[in-house]
Amino acid sequence: MRLVLMAALAAVMMPVAAVESVVVGFTPTDPTPAGNRWPKHIVAVWTETSGGVFVKTLGTWTGTAYRTSLSQWTLKNGGTTTDASMGATINQAVASQTSPWLMGSKGSPSTPVADGDYRIWIETADNDPTTAGTGNGTNVIRLSMPFAKDGVARVVPVTDPAGKYQVVSYTYTGRLPSIANPALNITAGAGTTFTATSNAAASPSGYQWRRGTVAISGAIASTYTISSSVVGDAGSYDCILTYPNAYGLGASPTMTSNALTLTVTAPVLVPVTSVALAPTSTIVNPGTGVALALTPSPANCTSPSYAWYRNTANTTAGASLLTGEIAVSLSAPTASAGSLYYFGVVSAGGGTATSAIALVTVRPAPVISAEPVSATVAAGGAVSFSVTAGSPGFTPLTYRWQSSTGGVWSDVASGGTGTTLTPSPLVHGTGYRCVVINANGAGVAATSAVAALAVVDAPTIASDIAPLDPTLVSGAAASFTVSASIPADPPGLLAYRWQQRASSGGIFADMPGETAASVTVPVPTDGQQVRCVLTNTVSGAVATSISGVSTM
């Protein structure tokens, strides 16, 4: 008759694990008394190492007259029976029998043997005339089963080929896993972590944490953490560890740890009563960071949350909620000039408080109403550039004139800090501009338009008046010539104007119509003098060169 295992591992809920042990169980097959068959079962149960070395007798059921029928047990045990309690022959049909082993050996029953592979033996003799042999104890059957001492609890069935027992199995309590948690009494909102430790030699292949008897979804690691607890998290927690199925069972064996009780206490709510905001007013330049911060009171108010509002007026009415701004501080935007009002609302412990209103002003740049104007001036002359600007509410203004002759701007070294600049020396092609800054130089800058300076140089006389001081015959005409050039930049107009006077003591006067490079005096007089005035004219600016004086 086949033997069937009835396996069940009870979840261990006590903090202290059961003692590691093996219990061999078997039930005689005989359903009813029949002649002299069923009262005469004699049995010995013992364990050996995988190498066949005797370890310990787990139990015997035999009378003295029948003991010698258990020949293998007698041989292995050395002829003694002191390592297990003796019982009478099994003389009751279908009564289950058990034989425990607390992991000790014959020589040291209180010291557990080492983990490893063992074999459990059952040797049976009876007087069943329906099978081989006659007389008491003449029908001997031996049954053995492998057993691995690895700490994994399990119930393993064994088939008795001789059919002497309808149920044969061993039940191994193993070494139950344990869980620990140093924070079992917490306040709602706090975190806590459970840690499972396997005490078996075999490594677990899976974990499942439970609260009460309900599996926690996703809690399948060796630790289970509650990051932010709520009162409803309180309860009893344990962990079911699954081990690899190396025993031929229908399902992988599992062991349940001890249980720990988590207590979660609702926090005592401390409501917020007021909230301070700093700073309450600030003026900055565009792009300068402004950090506004809230300080709720009392400092230990429960779980404060923050909301920020902005308005264009100094009031909370109609203010706009700043979406996503939920931190204790706010970085107010300052990209654009203007004034905006901010305040915060704190909710904590069932209370709500609104801060004062903070004014954040972003300075505008000064407004330049009159730009410096480009100028053309004759070399040796003077010129001034001016700027007019305003910045209501952000005065005084400072002025910083700059010049550039090659694209690089630099501050004017002297006289460049007022509304008007009179540059010196004058360099043709120089550009001038003014940087106007409000808030006494600490505010925002506005840069004027560029005023270009054109310097007009006088003509360069290449060939002075000729002839010089000619001697003439009375009544003969006299001709004079001069040659000159002007710079190409700025482009100007070269002009000639001839002058004469009667003697060196007179005053030169223009000779009407004589505007060429040469002039003829038709009837000169003795001592009469001639010269040429050369001009370079650009945009109304006139630079003059005067030739030498020729006396006739």
Side-chain angles (χ1 to χ4, degrees):
M1 180 178 185
R2 294 186 60 193
L3 304 181
V4 181
L5 168 67
M6 308 299 291
L9 290 178
V12 179
M13 304 299 290
M14 300 299 291
V16 179
V19 176
E20 182 180 11
S21 63
V22 170
V23 176
V24 180
F26 48 93
T27 301
T29 300
D30 297 337
T32 56
N36 65 351
R37 182 172 54 188
W38 62 266
K40 298 300 182 181
H41 291 82
I42 58 176
V43 184
V45 182
W46 72 94
T47 182
E48 301 176 1
T49 67
S50 59
V53 177
F54 184 85
V55 176
K56 190 178 189 312
T57 300
L58 308 185
T60 59
W61 291 262
T62 175
T64 303
Y66 311 127
R67 191 174 303 159
T68 57
S69 297
L70 303 175
S71 58
Q72 184 168 321
W73 168 72
T74 303
L75 175 64
K76 290 283 187 176
N77 194 31
T80 70
T81 58
T82 58
D83 58 332
S85 298
M86 303 299 293
T89 57
I90 301 173
N91 55 8
Q92 182 179 359
V94 298
S96 297
Q97 309 296 326
T98 59
S99 180
W101 177 30
L102 299 180
M103 301 289 104
S105 64
K106 177 179 180 180
S108 182
S110 62
T111 302
V113 296
D115 284 359
D117 293 329
Y118 295 84
R119 184 165 288 276
I120 299 173
W121 284 87
I122 302 176
E123 189 174 30
T124 302
D126 66 13
N127 192 28
D128 186 351
T130 64
T131 58
T134 57
N136 291 337
T138 59
N139 186 30
V140 179
I141 300 297
R142 298 182 186 91
L143 173 67
S144 69
M145 61 193 84
F147 166 69
K149 182 178 183 293
D150 55 9
V152 178
R154 58 193 180 272
V155 178
V156 178
V158 180
T159 300
D160 177 10
K164 291 296 180 180
Y165 299 97
Q166 57 180 309
V167 175
V168 180
S169 67
Y170 73 80
T171 301
Y172 181 29
T173 60
R175 299 187 290 273
L176 299 183
S178 59
I179 62 172
N181 187 342
L184 288 173
N185 295 286
I186 58 175
T187 302
T192 188
T193 298
F194 293 88
T195 301
T197 300
S198 172
N199 296 310
S203 297
S205 58
Y207 299 83
Q208 178 60 66
W209 290 90
R210 301 189 306 177
R211 179 173 173 269
T213 58
V214 179
I216 301 171
S217 177
I220 56 174
S222 60
T223 60
Y224 173 61
T225 297
I226 301 173
S227 299
S228 181
S229 63
V230 297
V231 173
D233 289 324
S236 177
Y237 290 81
D238 63 15
C239 186
I240 299 175
L241 278 65
T242 301
Y243 293 85
N245 186 4
Y247 317 102
L249 302 176
S252 296
T254 61
M255 288 195 289
T256 303
S257 72
N258 58 299
L260 296 177
T261 299
L262 176 66
T263 301
V264 182
T265 305
V268 177
L269 298 180
V270 179
V272 62
T273 57
S274 63
V275 58
L277 173 61
T280 57
S281 179
T282 185
I283 302 175
V284 297
N285 294 336
T288 302
V290 173
L292 304 175
L294 297 170
T295 304
S297 182
N300 65 335
C301 59
T302 303
S303 301
S305 61
Y306 305 90
W308 288 93
Y309 292 84
R310 180 171 60 202
N311 210 343
T312 55
N314 188 15
T315 177
T316 58
S320 299
L321 173 66
L322 299 180
T323 304
E325 297 293 349
I326 56 174
V328 67
S329 60
L330 169 72
S331 180
T334 58
S336 302
S339 295
L340 291 172
Y341 298 87
Y342 296 86
F343 63 91
V345 176
V346 178
S347 299
T352 301
T354 302
S355 74
I357 298 175
L359 171 61
V360 176
T361 301
V362 182
R363 295 185 187 95
V367 176
I368 297 176
S369 56
E371 302 279 2
V373 179
S374 298
T376 302
V377 62
V383 69
S384 294
F385 300 100
S386 296
V387 67
T388 302
S391 186
F394 302 100
T395 55
L397 302 179
T398 62
Y399 302 85
R400 191 170 77 247
W401 286 91
Q402 297 178 326
S403 65
S404 172
T405 55
V408 178
W409 291 93
S410 58
D411 292 345
V412 174
S414 177
T417 58
T419 58
T420 299
L421 172 68
T422 302
S424 178
L426 301 182
V427 178
H428 174 69
T430 303
Y432 293 92
R433 70 183 185 184
C434 187
V435 179
V436 184
I437 307 174
N438 57 20
N440 198 28
V444 187
T447 302
S448 74
V450 177
L453 174 62
V455 179
V456 181
D457 289 330
T460 300
I461 298 175
S463 178
D464 208 345
I465 190 169
L468 183 64
D469 301 335
T471 299
L472 304 172
V473 177
S474 178
S479 295
F480 300 92
T481 301
V482 68
S483 64
S485 63
I486 58 175
D489 185 24
L493 176 63
L494 175 63
Y496 302 87
R497 193 172 78 249
W498 288 93
Q499 296 178 329
Q500 65 178 352
R501 62 184 177 183
S503 65
S504 60
I507 298 174
F508 279 106
D510 292 343
M511 300 170 67
E514 299 297 340
T515 58
S518 298
V519 68
T520 298
V521 180
V523 186
T525 59
D526 187 56
Q528 184 180 357
Q529 294 182 323
V530 178
R531 72 178 183 182
C532 186
V533 177
L534 299 95
T535 58
N536 181 15
T537 303
V538 179
S539 299
V542 180
T544 303
S545 295
I546 300 176
S547 72
V549 177
S550 181
T551 303
M552 294 176 288

